[in-house]
Amino acid sequence: MQELEHFDRIGTEPHRSYYIPFSPEDEIQTFHGIVDRTSSSRFRSLDGLWQIREHAHAEDFCIDEPLDRTIPVPSCVQMHGMDQIQYINTRYPFPILLPHIAYENPSWHYRRSFSLDKQPGERYYLNFEGVDSAFFLYVNGIRKGYSQISHATSEFDVTDLLHGGENMIDVLVVKWCISSYLECQDKFRFSGIFRSVYLLTRPEKHVTDYKLETRYADGQGQLSVRNESPIPIEICLADQRRTVAPNGSATLTLQNVRPWSPKDPTLYPLTIAAEGEIIPEQIGFREIAIDGKIFRVNGEAVKLKGVNRHEFNCKTGATVTREDMLLDLQLMKELNVNAIRTSHYPNCPEFYLLCDVLGFYVMDEADVETHGAAKRQSRSHQYDLWREYSEMEIFAKGITDRHAALVERDKNRTCVILWSLGNEAMFGKAFFEGAEYIKKRDTTRPLHYEGLQSADPKYYNYPLVDVVSMMYPSIERIRASVLDEPKESRPFVLCEYTHAMGNSCGDLADYWKLINEEEQMMGAFVWEWADHAIQTEQGLLYGGDFGEAEHDGNFCVDGLLTADRKLKSGALEMKAVYGGKLSSPMREVTPLPDPTLGAGSLSIEVDEHTGLLTSIKADGREILATPMHFNVTRYIDNDRHLLSHLYEHSRLDVCRPHVFACEQMANGYRFAGALAANCLEPCATFEAEYRVEGSELVIRLAYRLADYVKEFPRFGLEFGVARQYNTFSYVGYGPYESYADKHAACDYGYYESTAEKNYESGYLRPQESGSHYACTHLGIKRLLAVRAEKPFSCSVNPYTTEQLRTARHHFELPENPFVNVCLDLAMRGIGSYSCGPTLPAQYEIPREGENTFRIQF
């Protein structure tokens, strides 16, 4: 099938703006403020149950073959037992044979019938809003056309192929085509008719397209309408009406309008009428401008408090409903988000209508990414290979078509304030025509593209790109490359930052201190909104859990929210920071007393060779369910690049305490020793002293890190107590988990919780969780109370550090007969190093430290 190796779309209508025509007698219904297209008599949904047959190769397709099963449309075939569920990030999941496609190319033959009362003088248009990756369309056995671009609408005029009565549609969907070289996005790779299919009934002569542009200044709103149809149209806004000739324009002005913004998303109804059709629109008056280095909307400098959002549902994959979209947007409002980047493709058309109504700025991104080009000869990035693709003439047509699809469909949406040329595709000659197309078609919105950062340096100041953008830079790099660079005069945005994988977002407050201070910084978009994981009977699964040969593990589990839309602590941190709260001071807080404390007698036992406490008895009753031992490890996703250093080079996971000196005192013991693994020098030296003073155990602990260990997760103590003692209190940063660099969402105070509530179960890949920073008190109800000379970190969880470090899924964690307690002299900050800058030095643990704990039983 030669079509698969070319970027031509055959038999499709030109790209146009999204709209749904109504008949004058229709009663237009709404869904949360947007037009409900199903209430139009000219709209006929073809969603529902279709027949389907799977083929190993596209060439096996036969138009009249029997189809042996059914599938709902829209949906992803992989979510219905076909093909292979696969998550892969930066590699092409097929042999790279450019411009060819491998013979092994799964395909699916879809079929459905529908009845039609075909009327003379009407035309019929079949719309596919999203098919991954390419498809051939047959109507009543006759081939109508071929289309590609997975996240673009493909519209076919099928009037001449339809007849009154029963009609048959056959669609051959092909998994890979030449477009797949431009669609290497970080996501599960789904296939099929994953967005809606519908038929529009139109008059013989009808509106084809139109362009709306608004301006706003000093209470005055101006609407410009360009009629891009071959017939005149009548427009109506408020009490003003105009007839606009074919290819003509008209301008309407309203006084005392309320400008559109996320805080006040006021929309004004507009109708476009022609030849017995009415097209309802809603417009917001807003003016976008770049004023020197400052990005302004309605004359005001704005800060984009953004998130990157993929279209994903843990039960349906890339198929999302209006309800899914609405839920995401409502949650974003609750979390103080005001901007969305449609990473990394145009979203469903109705998503933008909801953004108009609810009030979100949108960076609308083209369906372009070539990340696999960088790894086509090895697993490591080779930037010269990546740059080659951006210079290749073969890609120019495909990229330009994607840019046209983007701007034409969404050009009339108020929420769209920035266009983005794509994601991680470098930049070169293949982009020129597309960028020029966008700038020619729309002079009101700036153009964004981060790909200039790693492209050939000669393109860095490409004049059509209006804003400078980066992913995951350190604050030092932002200052050096942008803010302190006299030649950089463009507004600056972080299109991706604070990678929210697992326990993350430790750098949010620091970034926003800078963003708020610097007028050149127009905002930032967190990567990313929600985890990608598939709901199964076993639980939520990620890359590699489906037996796929090539995958990127849990790197898709990188959201502020879980895949089923539960908030994680990173989301709460973002809510606080986006709401303007960047810090919370410590203060004097007195814990509530526990009247059960005050043992009459206290005894301890220690291992003289390791210096560890093996027994603590209060009034003869054993306190410890597991021995009290040194704790120097942890796992968080942000430490993933340090695992080799921590656990292969330094071997922290198998370091054991070795005592050099042991002194028995009248009321306790004093030790000096080191933590060391076989084959290595000590990673740290320590001093430990245990003294019984009445009903208190006094523990003095000091450490010094070895010079060869560059990063160290923590230094502290860990022990278990019986599970019945799962209720605890603390004075510190709460009520959420908190760390040296992650406590903006918290307030300093006295809190009570349980081990089960304290652990953040939203981390699909288990990891360090539930610690509380700068504590002065920890109490375990009816058992013990801890205070210290200096603030410390602590946690009470159902699981041990080792269990959290080694388990791959939450459902693999055991049910322990104890709860686990950690007392940390120092805990490394959280950062966002899973895909971001290294942890700033101020959040590393000190190279040496000391504290004295007093524990009452």
Side-chain angles (χ1 to χ4, degrees), residues 630-632 675 684 686 701 703 712 714-716 824-826 845:
F630 297 122
N631 190 17
V632 298
L675 298 176
F686 67 84
L701 187 61
Y703 71 89
F712 214 82
R714 72 203 305 170
F715 201 98
D824 290 300
L825 279 72
I845 76 169

Side-chain angles (χ1 to χ4, degrees), residues 583-600:
S583 62
S584 178
M586 290 181 65
R587 59 190 180 89
E588 288 290 331
V589 178
T590 302
L592 296 179
D594 186 341
T596 66
L597 300 182

Side-chain angles (χ1 to χ4, degrees), residues 132-143:
D132 197 326
S133 68
F135 68 103
F136 298 85
L137 172 64
Y138 297 78
V139 179
N140 291 321
I142 300 173
R143 180 163 155 177

Side-chain angles (χ1 to χ4, degrees), residues 468-524:
V468 64
S469 175
M470 288 184 186
M471 295 180 179
Y472 312 111
S474 65
I475 288 173
E476 292 73 21
R477 185 185 170 199
I478 294 171
R479 289 194 180 280
S481 300
V482 179
L483 302 177
D484 296 337
E485 173 51 62
K487 295 181 181 178
E488 185 51 81
S489 59
R490 295 170 289 184
F492 175 71
V493 66
L494 290 167
C495 66
E496 295 177 24
Y497 82 123
T498 196
H499 196 259
M501 187 177 183
N503 190 346
S504 189
C505 304
D507 45 16
L508 264 165
D510 288 342
Y511 273 117
W512 276 86
K513 288 173 186 174
L514 182 69
I515 292 169
N516 289 333
E517 290 170 1
E518 299 289 342
E519 63 181 11
Q520 188 173 5
M521 297 196 69
M522 53 190 281

Side-chain angles (χ1 to χ4, degrees), residues 451-471:
L452 297 179
Q453 292 292 336
S454 46
D456 188 315
K458 69 184 179 184
Y459 294 124
Y460 181 75
N461 291 304
Y462 182 67
L464 298 187
V465 175
D466 302 295
V467 300
V468 64
S469 175
M470 288 184 186
M471 295 180 179

Side-chain angles (χ1 to χ4, degrees), residues 14-151:
H15 298 299
R16 64 165 175 85
S17 58
Y18 171 78
Y19 60 82
I20 298 296
F22 285 72
S23 294
E25 61 272 16
D26 290 338
E27 184 177 343
I28 300 174
Q29 304 294 320
T30 60
F31 171 84
H32 288 272
I34 72 170
V35 169
D36 182 355
R37 61 193 187 181
T38 64
S39 64
S40 170
S41 60
R42 295 188 171 275
F43 173 93
R44 179 171 182 178
S45 173
L46 295 180
D47 292 349
L49 209 59
W50 290 47
Q51 294 177 289
I52 192 170
R53 180 169 184 165
E54 185 173 28
H55 291 293
H57 319 99
E59 289 81 357
D60 298 339
F61 161 80
C62 179
I63 184 64
D64 56 359
E65 65 188 346
L67 307 190
D68 54 2
R69 58 194 299 182
T70 59
I71 190 172
V73 169
S75 68
C76 304
V77 298
Q78 289 84 359
M79 300 300 289
H80 292 270
M82 289 175 272
D83 195 42
Q84 170 73 65
I85 294 177
Q86 180 183 32
Y87 164 66
I88 194 166
N89 178 10
T90 58
R91 292 172 288 160
Y92 292 123
F94 49 82
I96 300 166
L97 309 171
L98 185 71
H100 308 294
I101 299 297
Y103 174 64
E104 301 292 333
N105 193 2
S107 304
W108 298 273
H109 181 178
Y110 288 76
R111 179 184 293 152
R112 76 154 290 166
S113 62
F114 66 97
S115 60
L116 179 68
D117 181 14
K118 189 176 182 182
Q119 297 295 317
E122 301 276 17
R123 302 207 68 80
Y124 300 89
Y125 293 88
L126 189 57
N127 282 260
F128 294 81
E129 290 192 331
V131 181
D132 197 326
S133 68
F135 68 103
F136 298 85
L137 172 64
Y138 297 78
V139 179
N140 291 321
I142 300 173
R143 180 163 155 177
K144 170 57 184 175
Y146 164 81
S147 192
Q148 52 190 311
I149 309 180
S150 295
H151 298 88

Side-chain angles (χ1 to χ4, degrees), residues 556-573:
C556 55
V557 186
D558 56 359
L560 295 159
L561 279 66
T562 63
D564 53 357
R565 296 326 194 244
K566 296 181 177 66
L567 303 186
K568 293 188 276 186
S569 65
L572 301 171
E573 189 79 356

Side-chain angles (χ1 to χ4, degrees), residues 225-377:
V225 181
R226 177 168 177 78
N227 178 12
E228 299 181 339
S229 306
I231 60 170
I233 62 174
E234 184 178 89
I235 58 174
C236 179
L237 175 68
D239 58 351
Q240 300 186 46
R241 294 180 180 272
R242 297 283 191 282
T243 298
V244 188
N247 298 312
S249 299
T251 299
L252 290 77
T253 301
L254 294 185
Q255 303 296 332
N256 302 315
V257 301
R258 294 166 63 178
W260 181 94
S261 71
K263 292 181 179 179
D264 183 11
T266 300
L267 296 172
Y268 292 81
L270 169 73
T271 57
I272 299 169
E275 297 292 328
E277 280 188 332
I278 294 175
I279 298 173
E281 286 278 9
Q282 295 189 94
I283 61 162
F285 290 99
R286 53 109 180 92
E287 179 94 9
I288 304 165
I290 291 178
D291 178 11
K293 296 182 177 182
I294 305 173
F295 180 77
R296 298 186 185 276
V297 178
N298 301 328
E300 297 182 3
V302 300
K303 300 293 186 183
L304 304 178
K305 300 173 180 178
V307 294
N308 284 272
R309 177 184 177 270
H310 267 292
E311 290 186 320
F312 184 80
N313 179 299
C314 63
K315 296 180 180 178
T316 58
T319 297
V320 296
T321 64
R322 290 186 307 187
E323 289 75 16
D324 292 331
M325 302 174 210
L326 180 64
L327 174 62
D328 277 354
L329 294 174
Q330 289 172 333
L331 288 169
M332 288 178 192
K333 278 292 181 184
E334 292 175 13
L335 296 173
N336 296 320
V337 172
N338 71 3
I340 302 162
R341 178 181 178 221
T342 64
S343 51
H344 297 296
Y345 41 79
N347 283 197
C348 292
E350 289 179 295
F351 178 75
Y352 300 84
L353 301 180
L354 287 168
C355 289
D356 283 352
V357 168
L358 295 175
F360 288 93
Y361 297 127
V362 173
M363 178 193 288
D364 205 4
E365 189 151 273
D367 195 356
V368 178
E369 180 168 346
T370 62
H371 214 135
K375 294 188 173 183
R376 67 185 194 266
Q377 293 181 3

